[in-house]
Amino acid sequence: MSLEARIQASVSGFELDLQIAVGAGELVAVLGPNGSGKTSVLRVLAGLMPLDAGRVTLDGVVLDDPPTGVRVAPEHRPIGMVFQDYLLFPHLSVLENVAFGLRSRGTRRAAALTLASQWLERVGLEGYADRRPGSLSGGQAQRVALARALVTSPALLLMDEPMAALDASTRVELRRELRRQLESFDGVRLVVTHDPVEAMAMADRLIILEQGRVLQSGSPAEVAQRPRSRYVADLVGVNLYRGRARETVIALTGGGSLTVAEAADGEVFAVVHPRTVALYRTRPDGTPRNVWEGRASDLDLEGDRVRVRLEGSPSIVAEVTPAAVRDLGLDRGDPVWISVKATEINVYPS
Amino acid sequence: MASSQRNPRGFPAPPLFIGLAGLGAAFFLLPLAGLLVRTPWGSAWQLLTSPEALTALRLSLLASLSATAIALIVGVPLAWIFARIAFPGRAVLRALTVLPMVLPPVVGGVALLAAFGRRGLVGTWLEQAFGIHIPFTTAGAILAESFVAMPFLVITVEAGLRGMDLRFEDAARTLGARRWTVLWRVTLPLVRPSLVAGAVLCWARALGEFGATITFAGNFPGRTQTMPLAVYLALETNPDAAIVLSLVLLAVSLAVLIGLRDRWLGAS
């Protein structure tokens, strides 16, 4: 089972122009900022939006092919879709919501309800069959939406921002739970999100979208290690520099320079993971090749770590423990010494 | 201090102004009081269950409910078209459809005669092809009531459809629902409050219809003489009966107002 899509469509404000191929059992996340066309990609694949040009095939079956006029209606596509705020039908019970797809596709009521209750059990909500969707928590609604989408055994599962409607405090646990539920589904899975952490935590592969085009695609590790643009670097949280390398020194385009372990030549990308950036109150002595002074412009607590944005030449983001911030007495605007080991800098040609 | 609490945001109104407001309120309350005071409570039940009154009541129920049914069958699709499909002339068609809300009902009756009367636009053909004759029949009364009352349903349902989140229909389609299934199991249930409100408004308007009915359908007891017509006629021959019938219509109107209070009177 696999999905192959070449999509050209006009969305309000820009053109969607991209190619996506997802293999059976693969979970691919389409990651991009708001307005990058992510949701439109899902709507095209679901048949809710027409293609201007391109072609969509699922398991060899053509779903969209504008030149030959093929456009399979949404109700005839073997798909399941989980919408951003789940869109459970408020006038139907939880069980009827899950049974909706079966009933619409002609399954008899009794059989549909039986299968739907099995699915409710599978997502751990067997006691909620008669409830109205309005009385569910965000996490429960998400699982009902997932059961509703999967009950018809679709070949392709589309999920639009599955975590966006959830409380931040429960998100990590619910993400793990969702991941577990998704693992038992062997069709093609495509998740759209604007949250890089979510994408990297859930997906086998990332497709990064901006302005309707694919910026980069690859495994989460690959993308984090080798982001191909400032935007992607910001997104996945690493420091990305561009510069000209001569031997082991890279003169950075934005000012400053970095000394690296391996010699290179020409235009390069240099990636520094925030975790490998060390901070000192006074100029450190010792072996680090790269030492410079900066000024803390922003401190963000993220989980058990603090991301410190530092202005300097170059500017950089460091990730340290709250204890380290305390020991340094670091606050917004304070000067601080920055050091990065040459061996911690990843260099690759741009 | 006390007055500023009662009227925290406005300017202190001149007493004359408040007096005029009181006059306005009295203007609405006095007729209602008059109706209640003049009601012959002792013989009310007897008057209400007299054969004439019962016939008018029965006919009114039949005609107004039929008119509401017609409005639902053709008015809901019309509302859907207005809410969802942009086509040239939509604004004009929509305006013409709600015209009966402001049109003098008697003009509506004349217009209906011009269309469905013996020598009317469609009436001639109906008569020749099928032998169907609508004016001055119960069907005529139903048609007159539909004409005047349906706009209430159309605009109420249209507003409901416009306010609905269309993505629910998308969700239904991705779940394999075809058009009729989407309509029946998702769209209409989601606008149910508007459907109910529209139908009730439509029914209340149909129940009170007078001008178009008497013009198009006449005033034949048992055939076209609905309650408002019976009230008007009884006023000359049997004023007590007129008052009791009026009271029934008043009670229905009040019930509708209270039933739909969230729509008009706000949550308070």
Side-chain angles (χ1 to χ4, degrees):
Chain A
M1 289 203 270
S2 66
L3 168 76
E4 271 171 55
R6 217 171 60 241
I7 299 171
Q8 274 177 49
S10 31
V11 189
S12 51
F14 60 96
E15 288 286 317
L16 211 56
D17 186 358
L18 54 100
Q19 227 167 329
I20 290 180
V22 189
E26 203 182 7
L27 202 168
V28 168
V30 177
L31 180 63
N34 289 330
S36 59
K38 308 183 300 282
T39 299
S40 300
V41 170
L42 289 194
R43 291 181 64 81
V44 163
L45 295 176
L48 295 167
M49 221 178 88
L51 274 184
D52 291 341
R55 188 181 161 91
V56 177
T57 60
L58 181 61
D59 299 343
V61 178
V62 179
L63 296 181
D64 275 296
D65 190 27
T68 58
V70 175
R71 185 179 170 208
V72 178
E75 57 267 35
H76 297 306
R77 295 185 180 212
I79 51 165
M81 184 155 174
V82 175
F83 288 80
Q84 178 159 4
D85 28 17
Y86 312 133
L87 295 179
L88 299 177
F89 303 125
H91 59 288
L92 298 178
S93 73
V94 165
L95 186 66
E96 287 168 327
N97 261 283
V98 178
F100 189 94
L102 294 167
R103 296 280 293 130
S104 297
R105 291 185 156 100
T107 309
R108 296 219 155 272
R109 185 175 163 80
L113 292 182
T114 308
L115 194 52
S117 11
Q118 284 166 8
W119 264 95
L120 275 185
E121 210 170 309
R122 200 161 153 180
V123 297
L125 291 172
E126 54 272 33
Y128 293 80
D130 297 328
R131 295 266 213 110
R132 292 279 150 171
S135 69
L136 299 179
S137 73
Q140 290 166 341
Q142 184 203 59
R143 281 184 280 166
V144 174
L146 189 65
R148 182 176 74 169
L150 290 180
V151 71
T152 53
S153 320
L156 169 63
L157 176 67
L158 304 168
M159 302 184 83
D160 191 2
E161 303 273 6
M163 313 301 291
L166 301 176
D167 222 36
S169 59
T170 55
R171 207 171 281 171
V172 173
E173 195 186 327
L174 288 171
R175 187 160 57 221
R176 209 171 292 135
E177 166 70 20
L178 178 64
R179 168 100 220 191
R180 200 177 60 75
Q181 294 286 349
L182 288 177
E183 266 161 14
S184 60
F185 172 71
D186 58 3
V188 177
R189 293 159 300 177
L190 199 64
V191 178
V192 147
T193 177
H194 72 278
D195 179 354
V197 181
E198 183 181 321
M200 298 181 85
M202 290 195 2
D204 305 317
R205 195 151 58 83
L206 303 183
I207 293 174
I208 292 161
L209 208 63
E210 199 177 22
Q211 283 289 302
R213 276 158 213 278
V214 175
L215 224 55
Q216 189 171 3
S217 154
S219 75
E222 271 166 28
V223 174
Q225 294 300 311
R226 298 171 176 266
R228 295 209 71 95
S229 76
R230 150 91 20 222
Y231 166 71
V232 178
D234 275 347
L235 203 64
V236 295
V238 296
N239 296 294
L240 175 76
Y241 301 103
R242 201 183 187 123
R244 176 170 281 279
R246 176 174 290 174
E247 298 294 332
T248 56
V249 176
I250 303 171
L252 304 178
T253 317
S257 68
L258 289 172
T259 304
V260 298
E262 279 177 34
D265 219 343
E267 293 289 331
V268 292
F269 279 131
V271 171
V272 182
H273 200 285
R275 265 200 317 269
T276 64
V277 179
L279 303 180
Y280 302 91
R281 216 182 322 197
T282 53
R283 187 186 175 96
D285 39 343
T287 58
R289 296 292 104 187
N290 302 292
V291 173
W292 71 100
E293 199 178 14
R295 194 173 284 277
S297 66
D298 226 336
L299 289 88
D300 275 329
L301 185 63
E302 273 186 16
D304 56 349
R305 304 190 148 260
V306 181
R307 276 174 77 85
V308 185
R309 275 174 216 286
L310 300 142
E311 303 286 357
S313 187
S315 295
I316 197 164
V317 174
E319 215 175 62
V320 294
T321 61
V325 173
R326 229 178 8 259
D327 290 347
L328 289 165
L330 195 60
D331 209 336
R332 201 163 287 145
D334 289 348
V336 67
W337 283 91
I338 303 158
S339 97
V340 177
K341 286 161 85 175
T343 50
E344 296 284 10
I345 301 173
N346 250 314
V347 181
Y348 53 98
S350 67
Chain B
M1 198 64 201
S3 69
S4 72
Q5 267 172 0
R6 249 180 275 131
N7 182 18
R9 285 185 301 168
F11 68 102
L16 175 64
F17 203 61
I18 292 178
L20 288 172
L23 209 59
F27 178 64
F28 285 107
L29 292 175
L30 280 174
L32 298 182
L35 203 57
L36 289 174
V37 168
R38 283 287 315 276
T39 301
W41 294 104
S43 55
W45 185 248
Q46 196 195 334
L47 284 166
L48 206 58
T49 52
S50 72
E52 298 83 26
L54 278 182
T55 306
L57 261 171
R58 214 175 293 128
L59 183 69
S60 262
L61 270 182
L62 172 78
S64 59
L65 287 175
S66 303
T68 308
I70 289 173
L72 280 168
I73 292 166
V74 300
V76 171
L78 198 56
W80 190 90
I81 301 275
F82 288 153
R84 294 289 169 78
I85 299 180
F87 56 92
R90 173 170 68 172
V92 175
L93 184 63
R94 195 174 169 281
L96 292 177
T97 311
V98 298
L99 184 66
M101 292 178 83
V102 288
L103 191 72
V106 61
V107 176
V110 171
L112 283 169
L113 275 175
F116 299 102
R118 197 179 287 272
R119 271 172 290 165
L121 205 57
V122 193
T124 318
W125 174 74
L126 277 177
E127 179 115 32
Q128 280 167 4
F130 304 101
I132 294 176
H133 181 68
I134 296 178
F136 310 109
T137 64
T138 304
I142 293 169
L143 213 63
E145 290 184 4
S146 303
F147 181 77
V148 173
M150 200 191 315
F152 288 87
L153 180 107
V154 173
I155 59 163
T156 310
V157 174
E158 187 196 338
L161 285 168
R162 281 185 190 278
M164 177 192 151
D165 187 345
L166 289 182
R167 294 176 313 142
F168 280 112
E169 295 179 354
D170 291 341
R173 295 192 75 192
T174 66
L175 289 166
R178 290 158 197 240
R179 290 171 196 208
W180 275 107
T181 313
V182 174
L183 197 62
W184 273 113
R185 295 206 58 207
V186 177
T187 311
L188 294 181
L190 283 176
V191 297
R192 214 182 87 116
S194 302
L195 278 175
V196 172
V200 168
L201 279 174
C202 172
W203 175 71
R205 179 66 188 88
L207 193 68
E209 217 303 300
F210 179 87
T213 310
I214 202 165
T215 312
F216 183 57
N219 187 11
F220 306 106
R223 277 210 349 253
T224 70
Q225 191 186 79
T226 56
M227 292 241 285
L229 273 57
V231 168
Y232 183 71
L233 205 75
L235 211 48
E236 300 194 342
T237 56
N238 188 354
D240 279 355
I243 283 177
V244 172
L245 284 175
S246 298
L247 208 60
V248 171
L249 289 173
L250 173 68
V252 169
S253 307
L254 265 181
V256 168
L257 192 65
I258 291 166
L260 298 179
R261 65 187 179 283
D262 289 342
R263 194 163 267 271
W264 286 315
L265 305 182
S268 52

